[in-house]
């Protein structure tokens, strides 16, 4: 019997894993989804107590201090320290309790800022990350170093995945914390519902920055399926990029258009160039994933945006606003 502990099991990706597992849980797997109320993983004793209670054989390690460009720019020290602590506590406790496999989560935003494209798994440590999120990036990069160190010393199969930007139901919509898609969904919903006396055609939606940066976005339910595949079938310590194809990259302005279409928003979209753009692009290659799983079908971006907007408007009261 496999006992799988998901840290960060209450967040965007954790909720997507819960949804996928609910529909297809094999009889030889038992899953436990932990949030910060179950254990504050910045605390070693609390981490150990959680592992002793659940007794996992396998871990999907999602828990992290997570946020969009503006949250990172203002909090690099906290992103560095909290994530270093969480990652060391989870990996070392998994080791001490004899977990056979740990799949941790990196991100395409930890890649070097000055680089050639597309970026791949071999390039994680090739140069400094973008200055906006160096705290998060260096803490995440060290997971890969630590995985290799456990492998060298003990032969453990502790590995990592590198998702591109993620979105979907149960995202974090808090304006000061959110990534671009939940941030825009929150702001557009507010703009549409506030001041009902103003005709919508006169309302203006602000796209932060120039709208020109490029991003690859994966729907959280697609990522959850891929992470379950990694847990069951990917047996290498080397990280693997979990991203949509390079051809699916979109501009931030196109993201705003897709969200406007999902809301049927009739007003104007205007870019505010006084706000930061962040990294221009971080185009990642999913060739390794494609070589192992050639037939995987990603959800169409517009369809996934529509499902995410529908989830938000239907579940507004329980969303992280
Ligand atoms: P999220 O929605 O913000 O969820 C974060 C999760 O971590 C929550 O379950 C939260 O628990 C938990 N957590 C945070 N601090 C904790 C602590 N001190 N102790 C215990 N649990 C703690 O984030 P997400 O988007 O699902 O991210 C999941 C993983 O994907 C992260 O490792 C992140 O770095 C990575 N990732 C995210 C993106 C993206 O675009 N979102 C892109 C690439 C990679 P509570 O909610 O219960 O407090
Ligand atoms: P990143 O992909 O790690 O840089 O993080 P984000 O998901 O926060 O995306 C940042 C990009 O979206 C930047 O170019 C921002 O200027 C732009 N952006 C436009 N509107 C918003 C918004 O409402 N929230 C956030 N976080 N970014 C926005």
């Amino acid at each position: 019997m496999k006992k799988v502990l998901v840290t960060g099991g209450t967040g965007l990706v954790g909720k997507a894993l819960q949804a996928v597992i609910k529909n297809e849980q094999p009889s030889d797997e038992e899953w436990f989804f932990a949030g910060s109320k179950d254990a504050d993983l910045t605390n070693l004793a609390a981490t150990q107590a959680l592992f002793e209670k659940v007794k996992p054989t396998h871990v999907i390690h999602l828990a992290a201090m997570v946020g969009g460009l503006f949250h990172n720019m203002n909090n690099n020290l906290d992103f560095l320290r909290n994530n270093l602590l969480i990652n060391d506590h989870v990996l070392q406790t998994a080791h001490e309790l004899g977990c056979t496999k740990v799949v941790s989560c990196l991100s395409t935003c930890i890649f070097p800022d000055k680089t050639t494209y597309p970026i791949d798994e071999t390039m994680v440590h090739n140069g400094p990350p973008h200055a906006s999120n160096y705290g998060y990036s260096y803490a995440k990069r060290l997971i890969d170093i630590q995985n290799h160190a456990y492998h060298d010393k003990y032969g453990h199969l502790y590995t990592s995945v590198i998702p591109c930007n993620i979105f979907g139901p149960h995202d974090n919509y808090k304006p000061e914390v959110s990534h671009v898609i939940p941030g825009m969904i929150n702001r557009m919903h507010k703009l549409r519902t506030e001041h009902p006396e103003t005709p919508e055609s006169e309302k203006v939606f602000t796209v932060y920055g120039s709208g020109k940066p490029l991003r690859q976005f994966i729907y959280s339910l697609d990522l959850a399926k891929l992470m379950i595949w990694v847990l069951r079938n990917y047996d290498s310590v080397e990280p693997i990029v979990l991203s949509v194809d390079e051809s699916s990259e979109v501009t931030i302005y196109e993201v705003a258009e897709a969200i406007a279409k999902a809301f049927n928003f009739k007003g104007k979209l205007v870019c505010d160039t006084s706000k930061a753009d962040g990294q221009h692009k971080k185009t990642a290659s999913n060739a390794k994933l494609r070589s192992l799983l050639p037939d995987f079908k990603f959800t169409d971006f517009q369809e996934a945006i529509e499902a995410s907007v529908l989830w938000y408007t239907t579940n507004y009261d329980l969303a992280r606003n």
Side-chain angles (χ1 to χ4, degrees):
M1 175 66 97
K2 268 188 208 159
K3 191 130 193 220
V4 186
L5 168 65
V6 181
T7 72
T10 50
L12 166 67
V13 182
K15 288 281 190 188
L17 277 168
Q18 288 190 32
V20 174
I21 280 300
K22 203 170 151 197
N23 286 332
E24 53 116 355
Q25 183 164 351
S27 55
D28 66 339
E29 285 180 8
E30 216 180 292
W31 288 66
F32 186 94
F33 294 88
S36 62
K37 287 203 183 85
D38 296 288
D40 174 0
L41 301 173
T42 61
N43 178 308
L44 178 59
T47 310
Q48 289 167 332
L50 174 70
F51 274 71
E52 273 153 19
K53 181 178 134 199
V54 178
K55 298 195 172 27
T57 56
H58 292 64
V59 179
I60 293 189
H61 172 38
L62 304 172
M65 181 173 176
V66 182
L69 168 66
F70 301 102
H71 194 42
N72 272 276
M73 284 169 67
N74 296 327
N75 297 287
N76 270 296
L77 179 61
D78 292 339
F79 273 94
L80 179 71
R81 293 195 64 236
N82 287 334
N83 289 326
L84 283 174
L85 286 172
I86 291 174
N87 298 336
D88 184 55
H89 293 163
V90 167
L91 291 173
Q92 179 62 15
T93 307
H95 160 65
E96 285 169 4
L97 271 79
C99 294
T100 52
K101 187 163 181 181
V102 180
V103 179
S104 299
C105 212
L106 313 186
S107 164
T108 55
C109 57
I110 73 165
F111 279 133
D113 182 35
K114 297 204 170 22
T115 182
T116 53
Y117 297 99
I119 315 177
D120 69 33
E121 296 84 354
T122 65
M123 297 157 78
V124 171
H125 305 286
N126 278 4
H130 192 264
S132 59
N133 66 353
Y134 67 88
Y136 176 82
S137 299
Y138 280 116
K140 287 283 185 184
R141 286 183 186 192
L142 283 175
I143 291 180
D144 176 54
I145 302 292
Q146 201 161 341
N147 284 343
H148 277 91
Y150 283 114
H151 186 256
D152 290 348
K153 189 158 183 186
Y154 301 109
H156 287 350
L157 182 50
Y158 293 178
T159 189
S160 59
V161 297
I162 310 180
C164 57
N165 289 44
I166 311 162
F167 70 102
H170 299 277
D171 213 330
N172 191 341
Y173 302 89
K174 292 189 181 81
E176 64 286 4
V177 172
S178 54
H179 287 96
V180 55
I181 291 181
M184 283 185 175
I185 289 178
N186 176 323
R187 292 193 294 111
M188 197 171 283
H189 179 68
K190 212 165 162 201
L191 182 65
R192 292 201 68 216
T193 47
E194 269 179 0
H195 302 294
E197 72 285 0
T198 308
E200 192 158 283
S201 54
E202 287 172 21
K203 291 188 174 179
V204 176
F205 179 78
T206 310
V207 178
Y208 298 163
S210 68
K212 291 179 184 158
L214 291 155
R215 296 288 183 271
Q216 287 157 297
F217 290 97
I218 187 167
Y219 189 41
S220 56
L221 279 304
D222 291 347
L223 178 64
K225 290 176 194 156
L226 291 172
M227 290 197 74
I228 293 166
W229 169 81
V230 168
L231 183 79
R232 293 178 185 154
N233 301 296
Y234 180 75
D235 286 336
S236 163
V237 175
E238 298 301 335
I240 178 165
V241 167
L242 302 181
S243 171
V244 297
D245 301 329
E246 288 158 58
S247 57
S248 300
E249 198 169 47
V250 288
T251 65
I252 295 297
Y253 193 82
E254 286 167 335
V255 172
E257 287 180 319
I259 293 172
K261 189 170 172 209
F263 273 108
N264 198 20
F265 176 65
K266 300 287 180 221
K268 265 172 64 175
L269 307 180
V270 172
C271 294
D272 176 358
T273 52
S274 70
K275 291 226 165 33
D277 264 351
Q279 202 162 356
H280 177 61
K281 64 178 185 175
K282 38 194 179 180
T283 321
S285 162
N286 65 5
K288 183 174 184 176
L289 172 68
R290 284 290 188 206
S291 72
L292 297 167
L293 210 59
D295 298 328
F296 187 82
K297 297 260 180 305
F298 291 96
T299 308
D300 171 74
F301 181 63
Q302 184 67 42
E303 248 174 61
I305 286 285
E306 278 165 25
S308 305
V309 167
L310 181 64
W311 183 88
Y312 182 71
T313 52
T314 317
N315 297 279
Y316 184 78
D317 292 338
L318 62 95
R320 286 181 282 175
N321 281 303

